[in-house]
Amino acid sequence: QVQLVESGGGLVQAGNSLRLSCVVSGSIFSIRSMDWYRQAPGKDRDLVAGITRDGGPNYADSVKGRFTISRDNTKNTVYLQMNSLKPEDTGAYYCNAEVVRYGMGRYERYWGQGTQVTVSS
């Protein structure tokens, strides 16, 4: 099995920063993309940032210049540094990873349980 555990969420004032972490563990042979999604109350879960195994990032327009995604392949961990936070960044942040398990011949996507980020004005 594969588990994703996020951490680092919390309540902050607008303009401040938070750093989210997501550790992927289990019977892992390889991890391809690692992504962060955000879901605000009553809204869809949207992609915030993603990163390939080689480190190529992509960002939603709303977070470009403020958020930075990175990963440590030796620790199977992905990070999301969030600066200049705004109230509209509030939501549950979910980690998603494309994983090949040992003995399996295909990538499968897995989700974490989410971590709450609340930005007050």
Side-chain angles (χ1 to χ4, degrees):
Q1 297 299 322
V2 174
Q3 298 83 38
L4 280 68
V5 179
E6 301 103 331
S7 62
L11 170 64
V12 296
Q13 289 189 326
N16 285 351
S17 300
L18 280 175
R19 188 191 195 208
L20 306 183
S21 301
C22 172
V23 179
V24 185
S25 63
S27 181
I28 300 166
F29 176 74
S30 176
I31 302 175
R32 192 159 58 184
S33 67
M34 304 180 83
D35 307 312
W36 286 99
Y37 285 74
R38 175 172 68 201
Q39 187 167 23
K43 296 189 176 181
D44 293 337
R45 189 175 297 185
D46 296 323
L47 179 66
V48 174
I51 188 166
T52 65
R53 181 170 180 80
D54 295 332
N58 63 280
Y59 300 96
D61 288 343
S62 61
V63 306
K64 283 181 180 177
R66 300 187 298 120
F67 290 11
T68 302
I69 189 170
S70 61
R71 65 190 282 173
D72 185 337
N73 292 331
T74 66
K75 298 180 180 179
N76 291 338
T77 301
V78 61
Y79 306 96
L80 186 66
Q81 177 67 42
M82 305 186 294
N83 298 330
S84 302
L85 282 161
K86 304 176 180 180
E88 51 264 43
D89 294 319
T90 293
Y93 283 70
Y94 296 90
C95 177
N96 181 280
E98 280 186 298
V99 177
V100 175
R101 291 181 287 156
Y102 281 107
M104 304 294 289
R106 64 184 186 276
Y107 282 99
E108 299 170 310
R109 281 197 170 271
Y110 293 87
W111 289 95
Q113 82 290 348
T115 184
Q116 179 67 32
V117 172
T118 304
V119 184
S120 64
S121 57

